[in-house]
Amino acid sequence: MLELTEKVIDESRQGEAFAPSAVEAVGAKRHFYIESYGCQMNFSDSEIVASILAEEGFGATRNWEEADLILLNTCSIREKAEQTVRKRLTEFRKLKRRRPSMLVGVLGCMAERLKAKFIEEEKLVDLVVGPDAYRTLPQLISDADAGQKGVNVLLSREETYADIAPVRLNSNGITAFVSIMRGCNNMCSFCVVPFTRGRERSRDHVSILAECRSLFEGGYREVTLLGQNVDSYHYVADDAAPVTFAALLEQVALISPGLRVRFSTSHPKDITDDVLHTMAKYENICKYIHLPLQSGSTRVLQLMNRTYTREWYAAKVARIKELMPDCALSSDVIAGFCTETEEDHQDTLSMMEFARYEMSYMFFYSERPGTLAQRRYTDDILEDVKKRRLAEIVAVQNRLSLESNQRDLGATFKVLIEATSKRSESDWMGRSSQNKVIVFPKGAHDLKPGDYVNVRVQECTQATLLGTIV
């Protein structure tokens, strides 16, 4: 519900430095510092990297100036993200001149595409590691220590890191990400993900359930199942029956009624009635779906290779609301894609009005090297036009977000307490099933993070509901 102009899952976490107490190895001889950019998958991957480094005896630090190993887990979704990473690497290079033994590495989506520039031309890094090569980090670090450049950007058709227990980084101890699949088979023409993360592969459901169960037993009360397209999850083990996403969702929900279940991200073409019926059946599966639109124009959707029409998307929204009237929707919206006309733009605005998103991630089109759009189309919309259209999209979403919150005035929601409010020590912060942030006074109640409580909404802003315990 913020005025987002970048396609990120949680803008507040961009460039977040991790220093998990779980890997603050006592007496560790070397320390690592890691920053993550981009989507939830990158933050989840950083937890896998932290686990691998912990096994090698590395401790964590929040202070990059005292680190022996600095890692940036990168995002390639927009040019601005790459510019931010390059700026950070330049800052680290200055420190490395004073401490030559310190290693700097780039992980994730920028690794393959920019490995030559980072290592050979600009000499910014010692390590470049792609998202499927994190198991080789110990050897690559050893190579870099010996004066060689450590590079592995090979993509895999099998790697899911299913056997690695992620270290929960900067965790509140209540909510956690659980990766259920990697890669993407959808070739959306604007998107670089299939080229940076490889083909789709699903993690075995047994390891997913074990991780979720372990989290619940450890005090966590919410898991978010992660994938580039979770609805296409499909795992087949030997002679067993295939496990679909609907089946996996149900099995996770059955771990305990006290464990909330969320998921991200859905592709409209793949979310099935089975998934929707499963969501409706279980109270602890949150009534919230991130359903990216990208454009409300059928013509532009075809250029984007989204494989659905405006009418088909509208029917999917209607079906969700039919089966779950209380389900909240959020979206991704792109302004100014190649050849977009004013009529196409108006189609996007009208679809936003129809779907009545609670929030959206909004940005204007940024051509990415290597994508189908870069090869096939001309980025022909002037930047000032893109910015104006984006501003109009943001204005519509801001109004929709406020109207949605105003409709909740007087309603009571079951809230999972996550933490003390950042604005006041005397308030709790939690979220409803619909993923709305609710802030309310602690009062004299004996509560703690991880508890559920019913809260009646009395006031609201565009981004937050304000209420009291009932």
Side-chain angles (χ1 to χ4, degrees), residues 409-461:
L409 293 175
T412 298
F413 294 94
K414 183 178 180 180
V415 176
L416 172 62
I417 299 175
E418 294 184 20
T420 294
S421 170
K422 292 181 179 179
R423 295 191 176 184
S424 172
E425 288 288 329
S426 61
D427 292 339
W428 288 120
M429 183 281 291
R431 283 180 298 160
S432 67
S433 176
Q434 290 74 21
N435 205 34
K436 291 190 177 184
V437 173
I438 303 183
V439 175
F440 51 96
K442 293 180 178 179
H445 303 278
D446 184 20
L447 297 169
K448 64 184 184 303
D451 288 343
Y452 290 96
V453 64
N454 290 318
V455 178
R456 179 178 293 122
V457 178
Q458 296 175 317
E459 299 177 63
C460 72
T461 67

Side-chain angles (χ1 to χ4, degrees), residues 3 16 27 135 142 155 165 192 195 201 204 218 236 243 264 281 319 382 400 410 412 439 464 466:
E3 294 188 11
E16 181 171 331
R135 291 182 193 271
S142 179
L155 294 175
V192 74
F195 306 103
R201 61 270 192 203
D204 75 275
V236 183
V243 179
S264 186
K281 180 179 179 181
R319 182 61 170 162
L382 297 175
L400 292 174
T412 298
V439 175
T464 308
L466 307 171

Side-chain angles (χ1 to χ4, degrees), residues 342-376:
E342 285 300 321
E343 183 180 358
D344 295 326
H345 172 58
Q346 291 301 317
D347 282 348
T348 294
L349 297 179
S350 64
M351 183 57 70
M352 293 176 67
E353 298 278 6
F354 174 80
R356 304 200 69 77
Y357 303 121
E358 270 67 23
M359 61 91 70
S360 292
Y361 300 106
M362 302 159 283
F363 56 105
F364 63 74
Y365 176 62
S366 174
E367 184 177 82
R368 309 311 296 133
T371 59
L372 296 176
Q374 189 259 339
R375 296 199 297 268
R376 293 179 180 176

Side-chain angles (χ1 to χ4, degrees), residues 7-9 13-16 18 34-50 72-77 81 85 106-111 129-131 134 167 169 177 179 181-182 193 196-197 226-228:
K7 186 179 186 296
V8 296
I9 298 299
R13 300 187 69 185
Q14 293 308 287
E16 181 171 331
F18 293 135
I34 185 168
E35 287 182 1
S36 287
Y37 297 80
C39 66
Q40 287 172 323
M41 286 297 296
N42 272 10
F43 288 89
S44 179
D45 279 0
S46 290
E47 295 180 336
I48 291 170
V49 169
L72 292 189
N73 197 347
T74 61
C75 173
S76 279
I77 200 72
V85 168
V106 166
L107 311 176
C109 293
M110 287 173 65
V129 190
Y134 296 142
V167 170
L169 299 168
F177 298 141
S179 177
M181 60 189 302
R182 300 180 71 83
V193 168
T196 60
R197 286 190 168 270
L226 286 184
Q228 304 300 147

Side-chain angles (χ1 to χ4, degrees), residues 95-163:
L95 176 62
K96 186 172 175 61
R97 288 170 182 161
R98 301 197 304 268
R99 295 178 53 208
S101 63
M102 184 187 76
L103 301 179
V104 178
V106 166
L107 311 176
C109 293
M110 287 173 65
E112 195 281 332
R113 194 170 71 79
L114 296 176
K115 63 181 183 296
K117 274 186 172 294
F118 284 161
I119 284 185
E120 298 164 14
E121 296 176 28
E122 301 176 17
K123 303 189 186 321
L124 288 172
V125 300
D126 306 287
L127 302 164
V128 178
V129 190
D132 291 345
Y134 296 142
R135 291 182 193 271
T136 66
L137 258 172
Q139 182 58 52
L140 296 175
I141 291 170
S142 179
D143 291 344
D145 284 336
Q148 304 175 45
K149 298 299 183 182
V151 181
N152 188 345
V153 295
L154 295 177
L155 294 175
S156 168
R157 288 183 176 269
E158 290 83 32
E159 182 61 84
T160 62
Y161 301 108
D163 60 319

Side-chain angles (χ1 to χ4, degrees), residues 254-463:
L254 288 171
I255 289 174
S256 170
L259 179 65
R260 270 188 173 176
V261 187
R262 299 186 187 274
F263 56 88
S264 186
T265 294
S266 293
H267 193 296
K269 73 177 177 61
D270 291 320
I271 190 165
T272 64
D273 270 14
D274 285 345
V275 170
L276 301 180
H277 284 300
T278 302
M279 291 179 68
K281 180 179 179 181
Y282 293 94
E283 185 267 344
N284 61 323
I285 300 179
C286 292
K287 305 306 181 280
Y288 169 79
I289 299 174
H290 185 65
L291 197 71
L293 170 66
Q294 309 302 1
S295 173
S297 162
T298 294
R299 187 188 71 83
V300 174
L301 287 170
Q302 290 173 340
L303 292 177
M304 290 178 167
N305 196 32
R306 290 293 287 174
T307 69
Y308 54 82
T309 65
R310 170 187 176 85
E311 292 75 20
W312 190 96
Y313 184 94
K316 181 64 69 174
V317 169
R319 182 61 170 162
I320 291 169
K321 295 295 187 180
E322 175 190 347
L323 296 178
M324 292 179 289
D326 61 338
C327 187
L329 294 177
S330 63
S331 191
D332 295 341
V333 185
I334 298 173
F337 189 71
C338 308
T339 78
E340 183 186 70
T341 65
E342 285 300 321
E343 183 180 358
D344 295 326
H345 172 58
Q346 291 301 317
D347 282 348
T348 294
L349 297 179
S350 64
M351 183 57 70
M352 293 176 67
E353 298 278 6
F354 174 80
R356 304 200 69 77
Y357 303 121
E358 270 67 23
M359 61 91 70
S360 292
Y361 300 106
M362 302 159 283
F363 56 105
F364 63 74
Y365 176 62
S366 174
E367 184 177 82
R368 309 311 296 133
T371 59
L372 296 176
Q374 189 259 339
R375 296 199 297 268
R376 293 179 180 176
Y377 313 131
T378 300
D379 183 7
D380 57 354
I381 308 300
L382 297 175
E383 186 164 315
D384 62 341
V385 174
K386 291 181 181 180
K387 289 182 176 179
R388 189 259 301 165
R389 290 176 183 172
L390 175 61
E392 292 175 5
I393 288 169
V394 169
V396 169
Q397 184 57 64
N398 286 346
R399 174 173 54 78
L400 292 174
S401 296
L402 179 59
E403 290 173 355
S404 174
N405 283 352
Q406 289 172 335
R407 287 193 295 273
D408 289 337
L409 293 175
T412 298
F413 294 94
K414 183 178 180 180
V415 176
L416 172 62
I417 299 175
E418 294 184 20
T420 294
S421 170
K422 292 181 179 179
R423 295 191 176 184
S424 172
E425 288 288 329
S426 61
D427 292 339
W428 288 120
M429 183 281 291
R431 283 180 298 160
S432 67
S433 176
Q434 290 74 21
N435 205 34
K436 291 190 177 184
V437 173
I438 303 183
V439 175
F440 51 96
K442 293 180 178 179
H445 303 278
D446 184 20
L447 297 169
K448 64 184 184 303
D451 288 343
Y452 290 96
V453 64
N454 290 318
V455 178
R456 179 178 293 122
V457 178
Q458 296 175 317
E459 299 177 63
C460 72
T461 67
Q462 178 188 302

